[in-house]
Amino acid sequence: MTAKERNLAAMSVDDFMKTGLDTDSDDSKGEESDTSSVDDEKKNATRHKGAKKSKVAKHKQSLQKLKESDPEFYEFLQTEDQTLLNFDASESDTSEEEGIEEDSDDVHKLPKKLQVASDDSEASSTDDGENETVQKKEKKTKGIQVTLKMINHWSNLIQETGSLACIHNAVTAFKSAVQQAGGASEGDVTKYRVEGSGVFNAVVRLCITDLLPAWQKILKLQETKSNKKQALPSTGKKWSKIRNDVKAYVTDMIQLMSELVDPSIVNVILKHIHNLVPYYACFPKLTKVLLKKLISVWSTGEESSRILAFLSINKITRLMQGAMLEPCLKQMYMAYVKNCKFTSPTTLPMINFMQRALVEMFAIDVNLTYQYAFIYIRQLAIHLRNAITVKKKETCQSVYNWQYIHCLYLWARLLSTVYPSDTLEPLIYPLTQTIVGTIKLVPTAKFYPLRFHCVRTLNMLSDATNTFIPVLPFLLEVFEVTDFNKRHTGASFKPFNFACILKLSKAQLQEKSFRDGVVDQLYDLLLEQFRIHSHSIGFPELALPAVIQIKDFLKKCKVANYTKQIKQILEKVEEASKIINLRRKAATFDLRDCKAVDAWEIKSKEEGTPLSVFYTNWRKLRDRELQFEIAGKERIVGDDHLPRIERQRGGPRKAGPEDRKEFAELFESASDDDSGDDKMRFKPREERPKKRKKVEEQDSEEYSDFDDEELDKLAGSGEDSGEKEEDGDDSSSSEDEDEDQAEEEDADEDDAEDIVEDFEMSSDDDD
C-alpha cells in the first residue's frame, strides 16, 4: 500500500469529510494532457504546410525545366490549359485549412427548420435538365458547316490527285449527311455539319461518283472478266491507308439505304452498292447486315428495286460462296414463304419473280440445295400426312393455302430447271406424291382452282424431266362430276381469274362464269398434257381412254361453246395419233431396245406433230392475253395478227340518211308480211300483234335450261342436227345443212328487221 492509501485508512470519517477529495491535481493533469495534444496538432499542421510548400516548389521547378527542354509543349500548355502553369500555393493552403476545419467538426448538427420540396423546385429541376440536354445537343451539332464550294473543291482534288485527306473529309461529311437523314445514333459527333437539301444531295453525289474511282486508282485494281473471280480490294498494297474510311463509308451506306423511301433514290443507292460489293466482302460482319437489308428489299420493295437487290445478292453469294450462300438461302426462302401468303393479280408477278430468283440461287450449289430441298419437301409431306389422318379444318387449311401451293411451285420449278442432275433427281418422286396427295385430299368442285394449280406443277415436272406422270385422270374426272348442262342461277360481270383463286364459294359455283372458266382451264391443261407426250411412241395407247371419255362428254353436253373447244382438242389428238402410227409402221427396231426407242422419240419430237405445232402457236397468243389481263389494259394493240379489242365511247352511233338508204336497198326483197309489220312499228308494244308465238313456245320447251346468249350460239352453230349425226347417217348431212342454212336466213331476217326498227326509231327521235 502506498503512503496515501495508508493515510486514508488511518483517517476517520469526520477527518475524511473535512479534507475532501484531491480533484485539483487530477484536473491539472488533464489540462496538461489537453494542451499537449493541441500542441501536437499544431506541430503536425506546420509540418504538413512545409511539405506542401516543398511540393509546390518542386512543381514550379519541373515546369521551369519543361520550358527549357521542350518549349513547344510549354507553349501548347499555355494556349490550352493555363491552370497547370498558374499554380498558387495559397489556394492549396486555404483548401487544406478548410478541410482540417471540416474534419474537426465531426459531429453533425441538425438544422433548426427542415425545408419541404415544392412544385416550383421540381419545375426548376426539370428546366435545368432540359437546359442541360439542349446544351449537349448544341455541343453535338457544333461543327464546320459544309458548303457547295467545299464540296466542289474536294471533288476536284479527289479527281485530279486522289488526295487521302479530301477522301477522309468527304467520308466524314457523308456521315453527317446520314445523321441528317435520321440514320445515326445519339452519341455520334462528326467534324462537319450538313444543312439543307442542296448540300445533302451534293455530298451524296460526290461520294457516289468520285470515291469508288479514287479508291481503285489508289489500290491499282484491274478490271476482271465476268468468268474470272474478282480480286478483293484488301489484297492491294495501300489498303491499310484507306481501310478505315472504306469501313465507315460502307457502314453509313447501309444506314442511308434503310432510311430512304423514294424508289428512284433507293435504286440509285442499290446500283452503287452493287459496285461496292467487293469492298463489303472485306468486312464479313457488314456483309451479313447488308444481306439482310437486300433480302428485305428483294421481298417487299418496288419492282425495279427488287431486281437491283437480287443482282447484289447474287454477286455477294458468288464472291463469298463458302460463307454467305447457306445463310442467304435460308433467309431468302423464309422471306419467300412469308410474302406469298396473299396472292392477287398485282402480287402474282412479284411472287413469280421471287420464285425464279430463288431457283437461280439454289442452282449455284446442288449439293447444298439437296439438303434444304429434302428438309422442306419433307415438311410439306408431313403437313399433308397430318391433314389426311386427322381430317380437321385446321389441318386441311395448313395444306390448302397459298403458301403451300407456292412452295410446291418452287420445288417443281427447281427440279425442272436443274434437270438433268443426279443429285436432285431422287426428289422428283416424293414431290410428285405430295402433289397427288394434295389433289386427293378434298376432291370437291369448290377446290377445282387448287386442283388446276397442282396439275400445272405436275405438267411442268413431266415436261422438263421426261417423267411420265398420270395427270389425265384428275382432269377427266371434272367432266364426270360437273353438270355443264345445268342452268346457272347467278350472274357475274367478270370472269374468274383462276390464277389467283384456290377455292370457290357456293354462290360462285352456281354462276355461268364458273363453268366457262372450268372449260377454259381444262382446255389449257389437256392440250398441254397431250402435247407433252405427243412425240412418244405409245401416244395412241395413252390417248385412247381420254378420247373415249371426251367423246362421251360431247354426247352429253348441249352447250355449243363448251363442245366446240373440246372437239378441237379431240381432233388434234386424233391427228397426232395417226401420225405416230404411220411413223411406227416405218420403224424397224425392236421395242425392247431402249436406246433405239429414245432415239426414235427424239427424232419424232424434232419433226413435230400437228398437236405440238398448234400448241406453240396457241400458247403465244394465250400468254399475250394473260399479260394484258394482268396489266389491266382494255385494248389489245400490237403489230402481230392478234385480234384488236376496242371499246365504243359515247354510246351507239346514230344512223344518217346514207345509212338508211343502204339498209333500205338491202331489204327491198322482203315479203309483204314484213312490209305490213313495218306499219305497226310506231304503235305501242301492247297494241302490236304477237309474231311466231308457236315457234317461241316450242323453243322455250326445248331449251328451257339455256339463256338467250346460249340460244343464239346454238342457233349459229347448227346443234339441232346433233342427234342425226350420232346415228351415223351420212346421207342426212346434206339435209341438215339445208335446214341450218334456212334457220340462219330466218335469223338474219329477224336481226335485220330489228336493226331497221332501231334506225327508224332513232331517226324519229332526231326529227
Side-chain angles (χ1 to χ4, degrees):
M1 296 177 63
T2 60
K4 186 176 180 179
E5 290 177 350
R6 289 175 183 176
N7 294 327
L8 289 173
M11 285 182 183
S12 62
V13 176
D14 296 333
D15 296 336
F16 178 77
M17 294 300 294
K18 289 178 182 179
T19 56
L21 295 173
D22 297 333
T23 56
D24 297 335
S25 62
D26 296 335
D27 294 337
S28 62
K29 291 180 181 179
E31 289 176 358
E32 290 176 359
S33 63
D34 292 337
T35 55
S36 64
S37 63
V38 171
D39 294 336
D40 293 337
E41 289 178 357
K42 289 180 179 180
K43 290 178 181 180
N44 292 330
T46 55
R47 289 175 185 175
H48 186 71
K49 289 180 181 179
K52 188 67 178 176
K53 289 179 180 179
S54 63
K55 289 182 180 180
V56 171
K58 289 180 181 180
H59 183 68
K60 290 182 177 180
Q61 291 177 1
S62 62
L63 291 176
Q64 189 65 26
K65 291 180 181 180
L66 178 65
K67 183 177 180 181
E68 296 174 357
S69 61
D70 194 354
E72 294 180 357
F73 183 68
Y74 189 81
E75 291 178 359
F76 174 77
L77 290 176
Q78 285 181 342
T79 56
E80 296 295 332
D81 195 356
Q82 294 182 359
T83 57
L84 293 174
L85 302 178
N86 299 329
F87 186 79
D88 192 2
S90 61
E91 294 179 359
S92 62
D93 296 340
T94 54
S95 63
E96 288 179 359
E97 290 175 0
E98 290 175 357
I100 293 169
E101 290 176 358
E102 290 177 357
D103 294 337
S104 63
D105 298 334
D106 294 335
V107 181
H108 176 70
K109 296 180 181 179
L110 293 173
K112 294 181 180 180
K113 292 182 180 180
L114 297 176
Q115 295 180 356
V116 180
S118 61
D119 296 336
D120 297 335
S121 62
E122 292 178 358
S124 62
S125 63
T126 55
D127 293 338
D128 295 338
E130 291 178 357
N131 293 329
E132 290 179 358
T133 55
V134 170
Q135 290 176 359
K136 290 180 180 179
K137 289 182 180 179
E138 289 177 356
K139 290 180 180 178
K140 291 178 183 178
T141 55
K142 286 182 180 179
I144 302 173
Q145 185 174 357
V146 180
T147 60
L148 295 177
K149 292 182 179 180
M150 295 171 60
I151 295 171
N152 294 329
H153 179 65
W154 292 342
S155 178
N156 294 330
L157 289 177
I158 292 172
Q159 291 176 2
E160 294 174 359
T161 62
S163 174
L164 295 176
C166 292
I167 291 174
H168 178 73
N169 293 333
V171 172
T172 308
F174 181 76
K175 185 177 183 65
S176 63
V178 173
Q179 289 182 6
Q180 181 185 354
S185 61
E186 295 180 355
D188 292 336
V189 180
T190 56
K191 179 180 177 182
Y192 295 101
R193 186 175 74 255
V194 176
E195 294 180 356
S197 59
V199 178
F200 175 83
N201 295 333
V203 170
V204 174
R205 190 184 303 110
L206 167 67
C207 295
I208 290 176
T209 56
D210 295 340
L211 288 185
L212 192 59
W215 286 336
Q216 289 178 350
K217 289 180 181 179
I218 293 170
L219 297 173
K220 297 180 180 179
L221 296 176
Q222 297 179 355
E223 296 182 358
T224 57
K225 296 181 179 179
S226 58
N227 298 329
K228 295 182 180 180
K229 190 175 181 180
Q230 188 174 3
L232 295 179
S234 58
T235 58
K237 295 181 180 180
K238 296 183 180 180
W239 168 249
S240 59
K241 295 182 179 180
I242 64 171
R243 182 182 182 279
N244 294 331
D245 290 337
V246 171
K247 186 176 181 180
Y249 179 68
V250 296
T251 304
D252 295 334
M253 187 60 66
I254 295 174
Q255 294 179 355
L256 180 63
M257 183 182 67
S258 60
E259 294 295 331
L260 295 176
V261 179
D262 190 3
S264 60
I265 301 176
V266 172
N267 293 341
V268 175
I269 299 299
L270 287 172
K271 290 178 183 178
H272 185 56
I273 288 176
H274 183 266
N275 296 326
L276 287 174
V277 166
Y279 294 89
Y280 277 103
C282 300
F283 309 101
K285 292 183 180 179
L286 289 177
T287 306
K288 291 181 180 179
V289 177
L290 177 64
L291 265 180
K292 291 182 181 179
K293 297 289 184 183
L294 291 175
I295 291 172
S296 177
V297 176
W298 168 77
S299 59
T300 59
E302 194 259 340
E303 184 177 359
S304 57
S305 301
R306 288 172 183 249
I307 297 172
L308 293 171
F310 173 69
L311 292 176
S312 299
I313 293 170
N314 192 11
K315 190 173 181 180
I316 290 172
T317 51
R318 291 184 183 276
L319 192 61
M320 306 175 66
Q321 184 172 339
M324 295 299 166
L325 180 59
E326 186 172 357
C328 181
L329 292 178
K330 287 181 182 179
Q331 295 177 21
M332 290 183 73
Y333 182 77
M334 297 305 296
Y336 169 77
V337 175
K338 182 180 178 181
N339 290 280
C340 67
K341 187 175 182 180
F342 304 102
T343 304
S344 64
T346 56
T347 60
L348 185 59
M350 303 300 178
I351 294 172
N352 290 333
F353 166 73
M354 287 194 294
Q355 190 181 113
R356 288 177 169 82
L358 195 52
V359 167
E360 185 174 347
M361 296 300 297
F362 275 115
I364 293 175
D365 189 353
V366 179
N367 295 321
L368 181 63
T369 299
Y370 177 81
Q371 301 175 10
Y372 288 102
F374 179 83
I375 292 171
Y376 292 133
I377 292 173
R378 184 173 177 272
Q379 287 181 353
L380 298 175
I382 289 171
H383 285 297
L384 178 62
R385 183 189 63 187
N386 294 334
I388 294 172
T389 54
V390 178
K391 292 183 179 179
K392 289 184 178 180
K393 184 178 180 181
E394 293 79 9
T395 56
C396 290
Q397 286 179 350
S398 65
V399 175
Y400 277 24
N401 58 68
W402 275 116
Q403 290 174 318
Y404 194 93
I405 298 301
H406 283 305
C407 287
L408 293 178
Y409 268 117
L410 172 66
W411 299 119
R413 189 177 297 278
L414 174 64
L415 297 180
S416 302
T417 305
V418 178
Y419 185 86
S421 174
D422 296 334
T423 306
L424 296 178
E425 191 172 355
L427 296 175
I428 296 175
Y429 178 76
L431 180 61
T432 303
Q433 291 297 320
T434 304
I435 298 172
V436 171
T438 304
I439 296 174
K440 293 181 179 180
L441 182 60
V442 186
T444 56
K446 69 176 182 178
F447 287 109
Y448 277 170
L450 186 140
R451 177 188 294 235
F452 296 148
H453 283 292
C454 293
V455 169
R456 191 165 280 107
T457 59
L458 293 175
N459 283 340
M460 185 193 306
L461 267 178
S462 179
D463 187 16
T465 61
N466 295 325
T467 304
F468 173 72
I469 301 174
V471 176
L472 286 174
F474 303 117
L475 297 175
L476 298 175
E477 184 183 0
V478 179
F479 287 126
E480 297 179 357
V481 176
T482 308
D483 185 8
F484 290 95
N485 293 326
K486 185 178 179 181
R487 184 182 179 87
H488 60 271
T489 58
S492 59
F493 297 99
K494 292 183 179 180
F496 294 146
N497 187 2
F498 280 81
C500 303
I501 298 175
L502 286 184
K503 185 178 73 171
L504 298 169
S505 62
K506 292 182 180 179
Q508 290 175 335
L509 293 175
Q510 305 300 324
E511 295 180 2
K512 181 177 179 293
S513 57
F514 162 70
R515 298 185 183 89
D516 295 341
V518 168
V519 171
D520 290 338
Q521 292 294 314
L522 290 173
Y523 180 84
D524 184 359
L525 296 172
L526 282 173
L527 198 61
E528 184 178 6
Q529 176 64 16
F530 284 126
R531 192 268 311 168
I532 292 170
H533 302 289
S534 62
H535 65 281
S536 175
I537 196 169
F539 178 74
E541 289 76 16
L542 173 66
L544 181 59
V547 169
I548 295 172
Q549 199 162 353
I550 289 173
K551 286 183 178 179
D552 184 51
F553 165 75
L554 293 175
K555 290 179 182 179
K556 294 179 181 179
C557 184
K558 302 298 181 183
V559 182
N561 279 350
Y562 304 158
T563 56
K564 183 178 180 181
Q565 287 180 296
I566 305 303
K567 271 182 182 179
Q568 194 174 26
I569 296 177
L570 183 61
E571 292 173 358
K572 298 300 178 183
V573 170
E574 290 177 347
E575 290 179 7
S577 299
K578 289 179 182 179
I579 290 177
I580 294 297
N581 284 325
L582 293 175
R583 293 176 182 175
R584 287 197 306 190
K585 290 179 181 179
T588 57
F589 56 85
D590 189 1
L591 290 177
R592 290 174 293 183
D593 189 358
C594 296
K595 293 183 179 179
V597 172
D598 293 338
W600 185 90
E601 289 183 348
I602 293 172
K603 184 179 179 181
S604 178
K605 188 175 182 179
E606 292 175 354
E607 293 177 356
T609 59
L611 180 60
S612 62
V613 174
F614 174 77
Y615 177 81
T616 52
N617 295 329
W618 175 84
R619 187 77 262 174
K620 291 179 182 178
L621 298 176
R622 181 62 177 167
D623 291 340
R624 190 70 178 272
E625 290 178 1
L626 291 175
Q627 289 177 1
F628 282 108
E629 286 180 5
I630 292 172
K633 294 182 179 180
E634 297 181 353
R635 183 178 298 177
I636 299 177
V637 180
D639 297 333
D640 50 7
H641 299 288
L642 289 174
R644 295 174 178 267
I645 301 175
E646 297 182 357
R647 295 189 176 183
Q648 296 181 356
R649 297 182 180 179
R653 185 176 63 87
K654 294 183 179 181
E658 297 180 356
D659 296 330
R660 293 171 193 164
K661 290 181 181 179
E662 290 179 1
F663 278 102
E665 292 175 357
L666 287 173
F667 301 105
E668 283 180 355
S669 60
S671 60
D672 297 335
D673 296 335
D674 294 335
S675 62
D677 292 337
D678 293 337
K679 298 178 181 179
M680 307 297 295
R681 295 185 189 279
F682 298 99
K683 293 183 179 181
R685 292 185 178 180
E686 298 176 355
E687 298 179 2
R688 295 180 189 177
K690 297 182 180 179
K691 296 188 290 184
R692 295 185 294 276
K693 184 176 181 181
K694 295 182 179 180
V695 178
E696 292 177 358
E697 291 178 356
Q698 291 177 359
D699 293 342
S700 62
E701 291 177 0
E702 292 178 0
Y703 304 105
S704 58
D705 293 337
F706 300 93
D707 56 3
D708 296 333
E709 294 180 0
E710 293 173 346
L711 288 173
D712 294 337
K713 294 173 183 176
L714 286 171
S717 59
E719 285 294 323
D720 295 336
S721 61
E723 297 180 357
K724 295 181 181 180
E725 292 178 359
E726 293 175 6
D727 296 337
D729 190 0
D730 297 333
S731 61
S732 62
S733 60
S734 60
E735 297 177 0
D736 294 338
E737 292 176 359
D738 295 337
E739 292 178 0
D740 294 340
Q741 291 177 0
E743 291 177 359
E744 290 176 359
E745 290 175 359
D746 294 336
D748 293 338
E749 290 178 1
D750 295 338
D751 295 338
E753 291 174 2
D754 295 336
I755 292 170
V756 172
E757 180 181 357
D758 293 336
F759 275 103
E760 289 177 355
M761 294 295 292
S762 62
S763 63
D764 294 335
D765 294 338
D766 296 335
D767 296 335

